[in-house]
């Protein structure tokens, strides 16, 4: 819930969406938080992604001259244009408040593995049963396994493991 409130606070700082109502925000805020979480756990370049998304949405109105766009179309484009700024504003505000979403935490840990000592409190880790991990999780698990501090056991079928023709 705190993440959602921080996102709403960030919308108040971003041109193009700052004047939207709280009721309007509630319609899309949770979806945006989920998307931001995925951006972070996948270690995606947020600036590049949101710039690309804005361009795609602008192209979706191809052939509509800017002066002939409806108010809805302008709000639609304004929303997508503001997502990158919203992400960075929200992230900055979360960090300044000492908060992190799951995605932000995974991104931060995976990007600071060489300088943080949070895993020193434990002698050994065992990762078992995973069949899908995010890039941030992969980076953390592989770093721990690479130092000999972790064992990794994946949930996989021997049919795929023992046949070199399988992916």
């Amino acid at each position: 819930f705190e993440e959602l409130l921080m996102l709403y606070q960030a919308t108040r700082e971003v041109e193009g969406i700052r004047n939207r109502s709280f009721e309007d925000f509630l319609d899309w805020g949770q979806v945006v938080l989920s998307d931001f979480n995925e951006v972070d756990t996948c270690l995606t370049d947020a600036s590049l992604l949101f710039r690309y998304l804005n361009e795609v949405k602008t192209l979706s109105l191809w052939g509509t001259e800017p002066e002939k766009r409806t108010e809805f179309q302008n709000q639609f484009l304004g929303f997508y244009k503001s997502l990158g700024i919203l992400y960075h504003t929200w992230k900055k505000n979360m960090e300044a408040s000492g908060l992190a979403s799951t995605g932000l935490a995974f991104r931060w840990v995976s990007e600071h593995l060489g300088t943080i000592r949070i895993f020193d409190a434990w002698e050994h880790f065992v990762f078992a049963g995973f069949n899908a991990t995010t890039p941030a999780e992969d980076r953390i698990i592989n770093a721990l396994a690479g130092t000999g501090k972790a064992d990794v056991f994946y949930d996989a079928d021997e049919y795929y493991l023992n046949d070199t023709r399988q992916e």
Side-chain angles (χ1 to χ4, degrees):
F1 183 72
E2 219 166 353
E3 293 171 29
L4 192 61
L5 289 177
M6 294 294 287
L7 182 63
Y8 181 69
Q9 176 186 338
T11 65
R12 312 314 298 156
E13 300 175 38
V14 176
E15 189 65 42
I17 57 173
R18 76 166 46 118
N19 295 326
R20 294 203 175 181
S21 70
F22 184 69
E23 183 180 29
D24 180 42
F25 167 78
L26 289 176
D27 286 341
W28 53 264
Q30 201 63 45
V31 174
V32 168
L33 272 182
S34 177
D35 291 345
F36 286 180
N37 192 60
E38 193 164 338
V39 164
D40 288 324
T41 58
C42 290
L43 304 176
T44 303
D45 179 333
S47 296
L48 184 63
L49 171 71
F50 291 121
R51 185 172 54 249
Y52 174 74
L53 183 59
N54 177 49
E55 292 170 3
V56 167
K57 294 304 180 180
T58 301
L59 284 173
S60 74
L61 295 177
W62 183 266
T64 306
E65 297 173 31
E67 60 275 357
K68 291 185 179 179
R69 289 183 186 145
T70 66
E71 181 60 29
F72 177 79
Q73 288 172 323
N74 286 328
Q75 284 184 351
F76 173 82
L77 291 178
F79 175 77
Y80 282 98
K81 185 176 183 178
S82 70
L83 277 177
I85 299 165
L86 179 60
Y87 169 81
H88 291 293
T89 302
W90 171 77
K91 182 180 176 187
K92 176 185 61 114
N93 292 349
M94 289 286 284
E95 290 171 354
S97 297
L99 300 172
S101 64
T102 303
L104 282 174
F106 270 102
R107 179 185 287 270
W108 188 88
V109 170
S110 70
E111 290 174 348
H112 294 88
L113 283 166
T115 60
I116 58 174
R117 311 284 13 123
I118 62 172
F119 298 111
D120 290 351
W122 297 274
E123 277 186 44
H124 200 74
F125 296 89
V126 175
F127 297 96
F130 293 100
N131 65 4
T133 54
T134 67
E137 291 167 332
D138 285 342
R139 188 181 284 180
I140 294 166
I141 292 168
N142 289 335
L144 289 168
T147 63
K149 196 165 177 137
D151 291 315
V152 182
F153 301 97
Y154 287 95
D155 185 13
D157 190 305
E158 290 200 29
Y159 171 79
Y160 294 103
L161 290 175
N162 296 329
D163 186 345
T164 58
R165 295 173 294 158
Q166 299 298 326
E167 69 275 2

